[in-house]
Amino acid sequence: MGKAALTIQADTFQFFTRNPRGGAVRTLDTEDMAALVHLQKEAGFVPLVAHAPYTLNACGAESRVREFAREAMHEDLKRLEHLPGNLYNFHPGSHVGQGIARGVELIAELLNELLDGVQSTTVLLETMAGKGSEVGGRFEELRDILGMVRQPEKMGVCFDTCHVHDAGYDIVQDLEGVLSEFDRVIGLDKLKAVHLNDSKNPSGSRRDRHEVIGGGYIGLEGMERIVKHPALSALPFILETPNELSGYAAEINLLRRLAAAE
Ligand code: FE
Ligand code: FE
Ligand code: ZN
């Protein structure tokens, strides 16, 4: 993974800790991880992002579902200590009819069981599009989770541009306003990574369908403002656009040019 990132001039990348749609974890290859630690240093990578599987639901209604989330995240966090100091991102969850407040409570409860104060990993809540019963479509929901966690210093937020846009925050016309709202509600110091995706749908659609950079409703000018914004520009940017490796290479190139343009 690290080597593939280098071939397309990336300086970070995201990887799934296991099959994104669930399932068992591969056996731990500590040698592989040691090689990656070395490569990360050598290549001067900014923090890497490990992504928890989508199927994980920290606020499911059934205890069996929450138990899977607990076990998977516990195992992931343990393994990530072989790649110290990086980021672990997860979708807060879907409350499946229990209501946002209960969802928030269950997510915080789980985090309080998992964070031991010793991990070197920062755990990120991803901003969500708010489709279905997803928790995390409003900044306030993420703030409430962070507010209940006993070790908020071990936590941060990953800003997914497609999700924030789809949730109804107008980052195209008013990026400045959205970021000041984020700052007021959560605090920009909590922002640790960006998922840079265009969107197939208009703002407020709550759809969560990623589009290639410049090909969707955020558009190239919107993207330029995002990569140039001083509150974001120093963060790790992760592409989750529908692409093959060559497509990512082209997008990285394009985005670097946009970021550097006057
Ligand atoms: Fe995600
Ligand atoms: Fe994302
Ligand atoms: Zn998404």
Side-chain angles (χ1 to χ4, degrees), residues 14 16 51-52 54 89-91 126-128 158 160 163 195 197 208 210 240:
Q14 172 170 272
F16 281 93
H51 198 308
Y54 299 136
N89 174 66
F90 78 107
H91 296 180
E126 181 165 350
T127 57
M128 300 309 291
C158 174
D160 187 307
H163 297 177
H195 281 168
N197 305 307
D208 188 6
H210 300 188
E240 296 177 315

Tab-separated table of all heavy atoms in Angstrom, residues 14 16 51-52 54 89-91 126-128 158 160 163 195 197 208 210 240, ligand 1:
chain	number	residue	atom	x	y	z
A	14	GLN	N	-5.225	5.975	2.806
A	14	GLN	CA	-6.157	5.361	3.740
A	14	GLN	C	-6.234	3.874	3.425
A	14	GLN	O	-6.158	3.490	2.268
A	14	GLN	CB	-7.527	6.010	3.570
A	14	GLN	CG	-8.646	5.336	4.346
A	14	GLN	CD	-9.910	6.178	4.321
A	14	GLN	OE1	-10.092	7.032	5.165
A	14	GLN	NE2	-10.767	5.927	3.357
A	16	PHE	N	-8.308	0.064	4.676
A	16	PHE	CA	-9.296	-0.578	5.523
A	16	PHE	C	-8.597	-1.585	6.416
A	16	PHE	O	-7.710	-2.305	5.977
A	16	PHE	CB	-10.385	-1.238	4.677
A	16	PHE	CG	-11.377	-0.237	4.188
A	16	PHE	CD1	-11.222	0.373	2.957
A	16	PHE	CD2	-12.432	0.152	5.001
A	16	PHE	CE1	-12.113	1.348	2.529
A	16	PHE	CE2	-13.323	1.115	4.584
A	16	PHE	CZ	-13.166	1.709	3.346
A	51	HIS	N	-9.276	2.931	8.185
A	51	HIS	CA	-10.733	3.084	8.198
A	51	HIS	C	-11.369	1.797	8.716
A	51	HIS	O	-11.080	0.718	8.221
A	51	HIS	CB	-11.220	3.401	6.774
A	51	HIS	CG	-12.603	3.987	6.699
A	51	HIS	ND1	-13.687	3.401	7.308
A	51	HIS	CD2	-13.069	5.105	6.089
A	51	HIS	CE1	-14.764	4.148	7.068
A	51	HIS	NE2	-14.415	5.193	6.329
A	52	ALA	N	-12.248	1.937	9.687
A	52	ALA	CA	-12.986	0.783	10.218
A	52	ALA	C	-13.990	0.311	9.171
A	52	ALA	O	-14.400	1.090	8.321
A	52	ALA	CB	-13.715	1.196	11.491
A	54	TYR	N	-17.374	-0.538	7.184
A	54	TYR	CA	-18.674	0.162	7.140
A	54	TYR	C	-19.738	-0.546	7.953
A	54	TYR	O	-20.698	0.072	8.416
A	54	TYR	CB	-19.214	0.211	5.699
A	54	TYR	CG	-18.367	0.929	4.711
A	54	TYR	CD1	-18.132	0.393	3.448
A	54	TYR	CD2	-17.818	2.173	5.018
A	54	TYR	CE1	-17.376	1.067	2.514
A	54	TYR	CE2	-17.053	2.857	4.090
A	54	TYR	CZ	-16.834	2.294	2.829
A	54	TYR	OH	-16.089	2.960	1.914
A	89	ASN	N	-10.296	6.039	11.648
A	89	ASN	CA	-11.561	6.709	11.365
A	89	ASN	C	-12.711	5.713	11.346
A	89	ASN	O	-12.585	4.624	10.801
A	89	ASN	CB	-11.432	7.390	9.993
A	89	ASN	CG	-12.720	7.999	9.511
A	89	ASN	OD1	-13.218	8.952	10.109
A	89	ASN	ND2	-13.270	7.440	8.453
A	90	PHE	N	-13.840	6.097	11.910
A	90	PHE	CA	-15.024	5.234	11.794
A	90	PHE	C	-16.295	6.040	11.615
A	90	PHE	O	-16.351	7.226	11.967
A	90	PHE	CB	-15.120	4.262	12.981
A	90	PHE	CG	-15.633	4.861	14.266
A	90	PHE	CD1	-16.902	4.560	14.723
A	90	PHE	CD2	-14.843	5.720	15.022
A	90	PHE	CE1	-17.389	5.096	15.915
A	90	PHE	CE2	-15.312	6.270	16.206
A	90	PHE	CZ	-16.581	5.953	16.656
A	91	HIS	N	-17.297	5.405	10.995
A	91	HIS	CA	-18.619	6.008	10.852
A	91	HIS	C	-19.302	5.835	12.199
A	91	HIS	O	-19.420	4.700	12.679
A	91	HIS	CB	-19.424	5.301	9.763
A	91	HIS	CG	-18.827	5.436	8.399
A	91	HIS	ND1	-19.391	4.882	7.281
A	91	HIS	CD2	-17.714	6.081	7.979
A	91	HIS	CE1	-18.651	5.185	6.216
A	91	HIS	NE2	-17.622	5.893	6.613
A	126	GLU	N	-16.256	10.299	11.697
A	126	GLU	CA	-16.425	10.881	10.366
A	126	GLU	C	-17.742	11.656	10.295
A	126	GLU	O	-18.769	11.199	10.797
A	126	GLU	CB	-16.392	9.771	9.306
A	126	GLU	CG	-16.548	10.305	7.894
A	126	GLU	CD	-16.157	9.289	6.811
A	126	GLU	OE1	-15.579	8.233	7.139
A	126	GLU	OE2	-16.436	9.584	5.635
A	127	THR	N	-17.688	12.828	9.661
A	127	THR	CA	-18.918	13.582	9.393
A	127	THR	C	-19.730	12.788	8.383
A	127	THR	O	-19.190	12.295	7.395
A	127	THR	CB	-18.599	14.956	8.785
A	127	THR	OG1	-17.825	14.773	7.583
A	127	THR	CG2	-17.811	15.843	9.733
A	128	MET	N	-21.018	12.620	8.618
A	128	MET	CA	-21.824	11.759	7.756
A	128	MET	C	-22.854	12.553	6.948
A	128	MET	O	-23.144	13.701	7.264
A	128	MET	CB	-22.521	10.686	8.602
A	128	MET	CG	-21.558	9.775	9.370
A	128	MET	SD	-20.247	9.036	8.359
A	128	MET	CE	-21.185	7.908	7.342
A	158	CYS	N	-12.983	13.591	11.203
A	158	CYS	CA	-12.599	13.541	9.796
A	158	CYS	C	-13.719	14.193	8.986
A	158	CYS	O	-14.885	13.801	9.093
A	158	CYS	CB	-12.390	12.101	9.355
A	158	CYS	SG	-12.093	11.927	7.587
A	160	ASP	N	-15.581	14.765	5.782
A	160	ASP	CA	-15.802	14.204	4.444
A	160	ASP	C	-16.595	15.227	3.634
A	160	ASP	O	-17.752	15.529	3.961
A	160	ASP	CB	-16.569	12.877	4.557
A	160	ASP	CG	-16.691	12.166	3.215
A	160	ASP	OD1	-17.154	12.796	2.245
A	160	ASP	OD2	-16.340	10.967	3.139
A	163	HIS	N	-19.948	14.094	2.238
A	163	HIS	CA	-20.932	13.889	3.298
A	163	HIS	C	-21.442	15.214	3.866
A	163	HIS	O	-22.654	15.394	4.034
A	163	HIS	CB	-20.330	13.056	4.440
A	163	HIS	CG	-19.929	11.672	4.033
A	163	HIS	ND1	-19.324	10.790	4.891
A	163	HIS	CD2	-20.046	11.018	2.853
A	163	HIS	CE1	-19.076	9.654	4.256
A	163	HIS	NE2	-19.502	9.767	3.018
A	195	HIS	N	-11.695	13.819	4.016
A	195	HIS	CA	-11.997	12.921	2.904
A	195	HIS	C	-12.452	13.819	1.771
A	195	HIS	O	-13.499	14.452	1.858
A	195	HIS	CB	-13.135	11.956	3.264
A	195	HIS	CG	-12.690	10.805	4.111
A	195	HIS	ND1	-13.583	9.963	4.735
A	195	HIS	CD2	-11.457	10.346	4.406
A	195	HIS	CE1	-12.897	9.030	5.406
A	195	HIS	NE2	-11.599	9.251	5.226
A	197	ASN	N	-13.950	14.360	-1.569
A	197	ASN	CA	-14.793	13.703	-2.566
A	197	ASN	C	-15.748	14.722	-3.135
A	197	ASN	O	-16.274	15.552	-2.401
A	197	ASN	CB	-15.643	12.607	-1.905
A	197	ASN	CG	-14.802	11.595	-1.146
A	197	ASN	OD1	-13.865	11.026	-1.703
A	197	ASN	ND2	-15.119	11.383	0.125
A	208	ASP	N	-25.072	10.525	-0.119
A	208	ASP	CA	-23.766	9.892	0.031
A	208	ASP	C	-23.357	9.060	-1.191
A	208	ASP	O	-23.139	7.857	-1.089
A	208	ASP	CB	-23.729	9.036	1.306
A	208	ASP	CG	-22.330	8.512	1.607
A	208	ASP	OD1	-21.374	8.906	0.891
A	208	ASP	OD2	-22.187	7.714	2.545
A	210	HIS	N	-20.342	9.347	-3.866
A	210	HIS	CA	-19.126	10.095	-4.189
A	210	HIS	C	-18.967	10.242	-5.701
A	210	HIS	O	-19.319	9.339	-6.457
A	210	HIS	CB	-17.893	9.375	-3.646
A	210	HIS	CG	-17.925	9.197	-2.154
A	210	HIS	ND1	-16.841	8.726	-1.452
A	210	HIS	CD2	-18.889	9.427	-1.236
A	210	HIS	CE1	-17.154	8.669	-0.164
A	210	HIS	NE2	-18.390	9.082	-0.012
A	240	GLU	N	-11.552	9.510	-1.875
A	240	GLU	CA	-12.428	8.324	-1.879
A	240	GLU	C	-13.336	8.406	-3.099
A	240	GLU	O	-14.521	8.090	-3.043
A	240	GLU	CB	-13.290	8.284	-0.613
A	240	GLU	CG	-12.521	8.133	0.676
A	240	GLU	CD	-13.435	8.184	1.893
A	240	GLU	OE1	-14.312	9.064	1.954
A	240	GLU	OE2	-13.275	7.332	2.779
B	1	FE	FE	-15.970	6.652	5.562
